[in-house]
Amino acid sequence: MVRPNDEVEALLQEYADLVAVTGGDAFKARAYEKAARAIGGHPADVSRLDVAGLREIPGVGRSIAEKVVEYFRTGTVAAVEERRAEIPAGVRQLMTIPTLGPKKAMALYEDLRISSVGELTDAIRDERLRDLKGFGERTEENILHGIALMRQAGERILLSTATEAAEEIVAALSGIDGCENCAPAGSLRRVKETVGDIDVLVAADRSEPFMAALTGLPSTAEVIAHGRKKTSVRTVQGVQVDLRVVPPDSWGAALQYFTGSKAHNIRTRTIAVRMGLKLSEYGLFENEGGRRVASRSEDEVYARLGLPWIPPTLREDRGEIEAGLRGELPEVVTEADIKGDLHTHTDLTDGLAPLEEMVAAAAGRGYAYYAVTDHAPDMYMQRMTDAKMLAQREQVRSLDGAHGGMRLLHGSELNIGPDGEVDWPDDFLAGFDLCVASVHSHFGLGREAMTRRIVRACEHPHVHVIGHPTTRLIGRRPGIDADLDAVFAACARTGTALEINAQPDRLDLGDEDILRARSLGAKFAVDSDAHSLRHLDHIRYGIGLAQRGWLTPDDVINTWPLRRLRRFLRKGRSD
Ligand code: DGT
Ligand code: CA
Ligand code: CA
Ligand code: ZN
């Protein structure tokens, strides 16, 4: 269920951390880190490659390739096990606390013999960390926050993880004889940013074959409950899956009920009650006589309640019922509306694929335009130079229109400095078609300074999109502290778009922020921020978020025809 590539990525990343903290050389640790990312982003399944095949992946040398082969042959890697054995399990857990990291965790162990999360919270309470080099009051706060994030993340999983797991289950169950319908429900169908458990629904006359299939899947680690109507299992990744099998003639009612949200269902039930009806997962029934009046499709159920079909992404009781009753539901943006991606990387910086391959893959998605936005020089480890950027521009120009007429925009992802300044002087910036500007450092500025910083970036004539605006990493790093309403208003005023970054662990902006920003008049760009070919597909999660924020194509600049997009990129200038 976990992609083999992701498994190897996590393993090599762990190895890099272990090397770093057990006194191995920093160069080796970095090499493993780089290989981890390359394998995670590699389009082909690495479990099927031999040493020679693996060595064709950039950054993967003989010794790394051999470890990968060893892992798939034996299930473990001796070198990783040896390093693990040097560190107590509790300390390894400390290393995974966001905001703490491997180095500090090791320092805590070596200097204070702290080897569990419990001991760490005790030590913070007793102010025993303050005497350590590199720790202070601020660090303590951050660590406590990291522990809280880790505990929350332990309970919910990333949307992408849940989606991939659910798709495998749905594919397996759909192939079984007698399956009339099969789909995910619950928060996953509503495309929530994180998912508590996966709900899957099947319409069939006999339930047992489906229940048996779920419990027998290779990805199933544990059966929690096995029944005729509902079966629950836990996957090898620790995710709970609830499978319900319903009679085909109550499919619509069941799908509506188990999609939720609870808050939305309370509203639909109340409407039913007022009409003298009763709504359950079996259908919509008349109170008197109990005749069933709707149940086959969701459409039918909503129609009988006087409502249009409501997209699952809107079902949160955030005004969708009222809008539906008035006939004013938004025509939310869909993946088919997206005409291009405006934030992507190549192997010129930290992307994994060369320009031509990224462009070909984008064209394969049917895009009308595509922006290449590699990192700018202020992110030092990317080693960007003016010459490299200009050489890439030549290459971009030569590929412009070469794939099915897809137009290319040459851009860059700039870094918003602590005072709101960006890389490069204006005359150099003027040469780009489009610039995304993002916060990549100084996350801890005070609220006022942080707000001023981003507003200044919005006011820059050559900044068109604010990339991953809050910089949060789900379960790992909180968003920056800024007056976001002031930022959103500045975006609206200056004609700067807010990004909806679709990277699975960012999903930034989140739905609540999108709703507020939209009400303040801002426009949006839904971007993959792809660092590899397969990342281009992540755009779907961004679309889910955009829908949850009630956005229509008119709100999203990369659904617009290129002419209208180019006008937006002039930021009011006439040139
Ligand atoms: P999650 O799993 O925490 O991410 O969120 P959901 O929304 O998937 O919640 P879950 O799995 O507990 O239940 C799936 C759906 O089933 C939920 O969205 C609405 C429906 N549902 C579950 N329990 C109740 C209930 O007691 N009343 C009503 N009206 N609906 C319920
Ligand atoms: Ca659920
Ligand atoms: Ca559930
Ligand atoms: Zn980026």
Side-chain angles (χ1 to χ4, degrees):
M1 176 120 42
V2 195
R3 283 179 70 248
N5 297 33
D6 296 337
E7 244 172 85
V8 174
E9 178 177 1
L11 187 78
L12 296 181
Q13 179 61 52
E14 182 191 349
Y15 187 64
D17 291 343
L18 291 171
V19 168
V21 299
T22 52
D25 69 90
F27 175 77
K28 180 170 175 184
R30 261 202 309 279
Y32 272 89
E33 224 161 73
K34 203 157 167 237
R37 274 196 295 118
I39 288 176
H42 192 65
D45 179 347
V46 292
S47 68
R48 294 167 193 272
L49 298 179
D50 57 10
V51 170
L54 286 161
R55 291 191 64 181
E56 283 174 22
I57 303 174
V60 178
R62 166 162 303 279
S63 124
I64 296 180
E66 281 171 352
K67 287 192 180 69
V68 175
V69 170
E70 179 188 353
Y71 177 67
F72 286 115
R73 212 184 44 234
T74 67
T76 54
V77 176
V80 178
E81 296 304 321
E82 277 163 32
R83 298 274 178 169
R84 277 183 183 162
E86 290 177 42
I87 298 171
V91 180
R92 291 211 307 274
Q93 201 202 352
L94 293 182
M95 292 177 163
T96 65
I97 297 176
T99 72
L100 186 62
K103 290 229 173 67
K104 283 209 169 78
M106 206 56 197
L108 289 173
Y109 175 62
E110 284 173 345
D111 295 347
L112 300 176
R113 290 284 138 193
I114 293 175
S115 62
S116 72
V117 176
E119 286 170 15
L120 177 55
T121 42
D122 288 349
I124 291 175
R125 195 194 50 218
D126 302 342
E127 302 188 353
R128 276 189 288 135
L129 262 51
R130 303 220 173 149
D131 310 327
L132 283 187
K133 196 166 148 276
F135 288 82
E137 227 171 296
R138 189 73 189 238
T139 335
E140 291 177 359
E141 263 171 50
N142 286 340
I143 294 173
L144 288 176
H145 195 85
I147 293 172
L149 282 172
M150 186 173 72
R151 295 212 160 119
Q152 279 167 24
E155 288 156 20
R156 299 187 67 81
I157 53 170
L158 290 182
L159 173 63
S160 56
T161 311
T163 302
E164 286 169 19
E167 279 174 357
E168 278 188 36
I169 294 170
V170 168
L173 299 182
S174 298
I176 294 175
D177 254 5
C179 179
E180 297 210 3
N181 241 322
C182 180
S187 53
L188 185 57
R189 184 163 180 245
R190 304 198 310 278
V191 203
K192 240 182 111 146
E193 293 160 15
T194 61
V195 168
D197 65 12
I198 297 174
D199 300 281
V200 176
L201 219 57
V202 163
D205 290 317
R206 291 183 53 234
S207 69
E208 186 41 35
F210 299 92
M211 303 311 192
L214 177 68
T215 59
L217 283 180
S219 58
T220 294
E222 178 196 352
V223 178
I224 300 166
H226 186 146
R228 206 168 52 80
K229 286 188 179 162
K230 178 181 165 189
T231 291
S232 297
V233 302
R234 197 176 311 283
T235 72
V236 287
Q237 286 167 294
V239 187
Q240 181 171 331
V241 181
D242 291 343
L243 169 65
R244 294 174 180 90
V245 181
V246 302
D249 63 1
S250 50
W251 170 254
L255 189 59
Q256 198 280 328
Y257 182 91
F258 291 113
T259 296
S261 65
K262 237 175 238 183
H264 175 86
N265 285 359
I266 289 171
R267 297 295 307 276
T268 49
R269 258 199 329 256
T270 311
I271 294 175
V273 168
R274 275 201 227 110
M275 299 173 116
L277 301 169
K278 181 176 161 285
L279 179 60
S280 75
E281 64 264 51
Y282 302 105
L284 194 53
F285 299 87
E286 284 175 351
N287 274 341
E288 281 170 42
R291 193 172 67 91
R292 179 149 76 178
V293 295
S295 66
R296 268 215 158 253
S297 69
E298 279 195 329
D299 257 339
E300 208 180 77
V301 173
Y302 278 111
R304 189 62 183 73
L305 295 173
L307 286 164
W309 180 81
I310 298 177
T313 42
L314 299 184
R315 299 184 195 173
E316 299 288 346
D317 191 22
R318 290 196 286 217
E320 75 279 8
I321 300 280
E322 291 77 2
L325 289 170
R326 287 196 310 267
E328 288 170 8
L329 272 181
E331 297 258 350
V332 286
V333 60
T334 66
E335 203 171 337
D337 293 319
I338 294 293
K339 290 202 170 59
D341 204 325
L342 301 181
H343 179 175
T344 69
H345 298 270
T346 74
D347 63 359
L348 184 61
T349 54
D350 58 351
L352 297 167
L355 175 68
E356 309 80 56
E357 288 181 23
M358 292 300 284
V359 169
R365 300 180 55 88
Y367 286 152
Y369 47 81
Y370 180 77
V372 179
T373 57
D374 272 314
H375 287 288
D378 290 353
M379 196 182 246
Y380 301 109
M381 63 274 199
Q382 304 296 342
R383 302 176 191 285
M384 179 53 73
T385 62
D386 295 10
K388 279 199 212 172
M389 212 31 140
L390 294 174
Q392 185 188 53
R393 185 170 304 159
E394 289 303 302
Q395 236 189 321
V396 166
R397 296 299 179 231
S398 73
L399 289 168
D400 186 13
H403 289 273
M406 185 178 77
R407 300 302 309 271
L408 293 180
L409 303 175
H410 189 236
S412 176
E413 179 180 14
L414 310 174
N415 305 289
I416 304 178
D419 295 317
E421 72 280 16
V422 294
D423 322 57
W424 284 310
D426 282 10
D427 59 340
F428 193 87
L429 289 173
F432 288 109
D433 301 312
L434 170 145
C435 290
V436 177
S438 318
V439 167
H440 289 125
S441 65
H442 302 85
F443 300 108
L445 285 189
R447 185 178 173 87
E448 261 175 58
M450 188 64 90
T451 308
R452 229 179 308 123
R453 173 188 190 184
I454 305 178
V455 168
R456 246 193 94 194
C458 293
E459 287 166 347
H460 195 294
H462 297 296
V463 168
H464 305 106
V465 177
I466 301 296
H468 44 76
T470 78
T471 78
R472 73 160 173 187
L473 294 174
I474 296 174
R476 287 191 285 145
R477 183 170 73 204
I480 48 169
D481 184 17
D483 177 354
L484 289 178
D485 281 1
V487 171
F488 301 158
C491 282
R493 170 170 58 82
T494 58
T496 312
L498 284 156
E499 182 172 75
I500 299 176
N501 187 298
Q503 278 193 25
D505 58 349
R506 289 192 186 271
L507 299 182
D508 181 11
L509 291 177
D511 56 2
E512 300 273 350
D513 286 332
I514 297 171
L515 283 165
R516 279 218 318 287
R518 177 175 164 273
S519 74
L520 290 164
K523 297 291 182 198
F524 303 82
V526 180
D527 294 331
S528 71
D529 193 1
H531 285 68
S532 73
L533 302 178
R534 66 182 184 88
H535 287 171
L536 290 169
D537 299 336
H538 288 160
I539 199 112
R540 62 192 291 200
Y541 304 119
I543 292 292
L545 253 73
Q547 291 189 351
R548 291 178 61 83
W550 290 51
L551 299 189
T552 66
D554 189 55
D555 299 313
V556 178
I557 64 171
N558 51 325
T559 67
W560 298 351
L562 187 57
R563 277 170 66 101
R564 183 174 176 201
L565 175 63
R566 284 203 197 274
R567 208 178 320 129
F568 181 86
L569 298 179
R570 287 203 298 266
K571 293 193 93 167
R573 288 188 308 275
S574 54
D575 55 50

